[in-house]
């Protein structure tokens, strides 16, 4: 469903304020090389696949209180017990 600058996936109804509605699971794949976190990528969510023995991470590009941009980890996999 695409309507008035909104996208609905797996749904036929959306609230006026909605920009994206997904009815079902979402998979975020590792897109290769993560870009530098800056004002252009602010708000981007990135799934980083961990190497063997290293857990995955789900990160987002944010501006900190010093007005610098950095990747902040939202969720980190635990990897292998050590």
């Amino acid at each position: 469903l695409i309507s008035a600058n909104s996208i609905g996936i797996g749904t036929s109804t959306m609230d006026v304020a909605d920009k994206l509605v997904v009815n079902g699971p979402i998979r975020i794949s590792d897109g290769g090389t993560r870009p530098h976190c800056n004002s252009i990528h602010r708000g981007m969510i990135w799934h980083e696949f961990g190497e063997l023995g290293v857990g995955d991470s789900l990160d987002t590009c944010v501006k900190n209180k010093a007005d610098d941009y950095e990747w902040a980890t939202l969720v980190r996999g635990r990897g292998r017990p050590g």
Side-chain angles (χ1 to χ4, degrees):
L1 171 69
I2 299 176
S3 165
N5 297 321
S6 299
I7 299 174
I9 301 171
T11 185
S12 60
T13 60
M14 296 178 60
D15 188 270
V16 174
D18 293 339
K19 296 298 179 194
L20 174 65
V21 174
V22 179
N23 185 9
I26 299 171
R27 184 169 87 181
I28 301 174
S29 297
D30 185 335
T33 304
R34 181 169 65 183
H36 182 70
C37 182
N38 55 32
S39 62
I40 295 169
H41 297 108
R42 185 179 186 184
M44 177 183 275
I45 297 173
W46 189 268
H47 182 193
E48 187 74 35
F49 288 9
E51 299 292 329
L52 185 63
V54 177
D56 291 353
S57 67
L58 186 63
D59 308 308
T60 188
C61 178
V62 297
K63 181 176 75 72
N64 62 29
K65 65 183 179 182
D67 293 329
D68 295 321
Y69 294 89
E70 62 187 7
W71 286 102
T73 299
L74 302 171
V75 178
R76 181 174 302 282
R78 295 178 192 243
R80 291 187 179 161

